[in-house]
Amino acid sequence: MIPPLELSLDECLDLLSGGVVGRVAMATAAGPRIVPVNYAVHDHAIVFRTTPYSEMSTHGWDTELAFEVDHVDYETHQGWSVVALGRGGLVDDPEEIAEIRRSWEPRPWAGGTRNLFVRLPWRSLTGRRIGNDWSPATLQPYRRTL
């Protein structure tokens, strides 16, 4: 068994910046909730979109959130995970939304209108990996490119 290895901040940023789908965790009155989201990294923050009537709109403003992106290869028993912690907030400045759209707009796969932008500036960004083969293709076989 290979013990997990801590990722450097640069490695965490690289993996986080190359991803497309992650999960955001929040506290609700009914208990913890984890929701998959399409996201982008913009100006040292994770940005994703939601609807005005979602759980995120109800419980995610000005509150502590966790975000995770990862990759697991079940065949080779390898994988990595990056976790960001921070306080979520609504992006309501039209100029900032335009800038996000110009750089890499998070485009939700789920149907419906998701016109609210949520920003999660991380105060903590950590990661771990397990396995032996850490070539770029195995680290993130599906990678967002500009």
Side-chain angles (χ1 to χ4, degrees):
M1 256 303 150
I2 299 167
L5 299 171
E6 298 297 318
L7 296 173
S8 70
L9 179 59
D10 286 342
E11 289 171 312
C12 289
L13 285 170
D14 184 53
L15 292 168
L16 179 67
S17 296
V20 176
V21 177
R23 288 163 299 286
V24 62
M26 69 192 109
T28 72
R33 181 81 163 108
I34 299 171
V35 180
V37 295
N38 296 83
Y39 75 96
V41 175
H42 178 74
D43 198 23
H44 301 289
I46 297 156
V47 178
F48 53 93
R49 292 166 49 185
T50 191
T51 67
Y53 307 106
S54 68
E55 285 182 310
M56 179 57 59
S57 292
T58 303
H59 304 286
W61 305 145
D62 198 30
T63 188
E64 293 297 310
L65 301 175
F67 180 87
E68 181 190 33
V69 62
D70 59 17
H71 172 69
V72 177
D73 185 326
Y74 295 101
E75 186 176 318
T76 62
H77 297 200
Q78 292 196 151
W80 58 264
S81 174
V82 173
V83 175
L85 302 175
R87 195 160 196 84
L90 179 66
V91 180
D92 54 6
D93 177 11
E95 289 181 24
E96 185 175 1
I97 292 172
E99 187 178 321
I100 291 167
R101 285 184 163 144
R102 280 191 301 273
S103 63
W104 185 277
E105 179 176 4
R107 293 188 179 106
W109 293 351
T113 302
R114 286 166 170 67
N115 56 356
L116 298 179
F117 285 71
V118 179
R119 175 184 39 241
L120 174 57
W122 58 81
R123 71 168 179 287
S124 169
L125 188 61
T126 59
R128 295 170 60 160
R129 69 180 185 203
I130 190 162
N132 287 324
D133 179 11
W134 294 107
S135 63
T138 58
L139 272 174
Q140 200 163 37
Y142 304 102
R143 185 172 178 81
R144 172 177 53 215
T145 57
L146 297 177

